[in-house]
């Protein structure tokens, strides 16, 4: 039996707080911009759906990329669905924003808040996944803990 100690790098509490605050601010500024968006109800509804589509596809893409970082673990069709969904969500939302007949200042606000939301979603997804993986590694190193059957960490222990 090998006695290997792995060093786990964990994010600081300040970093985790900053990530959550940043994501919350992004949601707030996007929600505020969409709630006060001048123009028709159909434009507002389209943009709300576009923002939600972008947000959910960003989280799905984050998970896909992280799951396949070391070795491919998903089918090529799933890769196409995830990457295609993200590209489509971004393209449709950009198209909806571009074609809206509103003041350029509003468009700039919506564009910046939308990109802020997407980037903070990727950062949040990475931070949550890092914490999850550090906890799994920590559990695997504790000989007093029993790991569930089929857990890859159990095979390494």
């Amino acid at each position: 039996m090998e006695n290997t100690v792995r060093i786990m790098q964990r994010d600081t509490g300040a970093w985790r707080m900053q990530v959550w605050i940043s994501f919350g601010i992004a949601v707030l500024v996007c929600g505020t911009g969409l709630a006060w968006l001048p123009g028709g109800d159909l434009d507002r509804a389209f943009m709300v759906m576009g923002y939600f589509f972008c947000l959910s596809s960003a989280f799905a893409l984050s998970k896909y990329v992280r799951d396949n970082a070391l070795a491919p673990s998903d089918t090529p069709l799933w890769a196409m669905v995830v990457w295609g969904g993200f590209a489509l969500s971004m393209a449709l939302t950009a198209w909806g924003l571009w074609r809206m007949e509103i003041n350029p200042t509003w468009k700039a606000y919506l564009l910046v808040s939308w990109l802020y939301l997407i980037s903070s979603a990727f950062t949040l997804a990475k931070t949550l996944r890092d914490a999850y993986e550090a906890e799994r590694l920590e559990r695997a190193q504790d000989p007093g803990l029993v790991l569930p059957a089929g857990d890859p960490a159990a095979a390494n222990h």
Side-chain angles (χ1 to χ4, degrees), residues 8-25 116 120-121 123-135 138:
M8 291 167 280
Q9 182 174 346
R10 289 191 171 265
D11 294 326
T12 65
W15 170 255
R16 288 189 308 272
M17 183 173 62
Q18 187 273 332
V19 168
W20 278 105
I21 289 171
S22 181
F23 182 73
I25 291 171
Y116 179 33
S120 67
T123 306
L124 177 60
K126 181 186 182 324
T127 301
L128 292 173
R129 185 66 179 257
D130 287 348
Y132 169 76
E133 288 178 355
E135 287 170 13
E138 202 170 65

Side-chain angles (χ1 to χ4, degrees), residues 99-119:
R99 63 156 280 290
M100 260 196 292
E101 295 178 9
I102 59 173
N103 183 309
T105 304
W106 267 104
K107 283 187 182 187
Y109 177 88
L110 290 174
L111 175 68
V112 170
S113 66
W114 169 48
L115 294 176
Y116 179 33
L117 178 67
I118 298 307
S119 69

Side-chain angles (χ1 to χ4, degrees), residues 10-151:
R10 289 191 171 265
D11 294 326
T12 65
W15 170 255
R16 288 189 308 272
M17 183 173 62
Q18 187 273 332
V19 168
W20 278 105
I21 289 171
S22 181
F23 182 73
I25 291 171
V27 169
L28 179 69
V29 297
C30 284
T32 301
L34 293 173
W36 293 97
L37 180 64
D41 289 339
L42 188 58
D43 284 337
R44 188 176 301 112
F46 179 88
M47 292 308 292
V48 168
M49 288 185 335
Y51 277 39
F52 274 111
F53 186 18
C54 287
L55 187 59
S56 64
S57 66
F59 280 116
L61 180 59
S62 291
K63 182 180 181 338
Y64 171 80
V65 168
R66 191 68 175 257
D67 287 349
N68 292 277
L70 297 177
S73 63
D74 289 313
T75 64
L77 185 57
W78 181 244
M80 187 177 72
V81 167
V82 172
W83 280 102
F86 181 72
L88 188 62
S89 70
M90 295 296 283
L92 286 174
T93 304
W95 173 78
L97 184 58
W98 176 73
R99 63 156 280 290
M100 260 196 292
E101 295 178 9
I102 59 173
N103 183 309
T105 304
W106 267 104
K107 283 187 182 187
Y109 177 88
L110 290 174
L111 175 68
V112 170
S113 66
W114 169 48
L115 294 176
Y116 179 33
L117 178 67
I118 298 307
S119 69
S120 67
F122 281 124
T123 306
L124 177 60
K126 181 186 182 324
T127 301
L128 292 173
R129 185 66 179 257
D130 287 348
Y132 169 76
E133 288 178 355
E135 287 170 13
R136 283 187 61 203
L137 184 58
E138 202 170 65
R139 284 193 312 265
Q141 286 186 7
D142 187 347
L145 294 177
V146 177
L147 296 170
D151 190 338

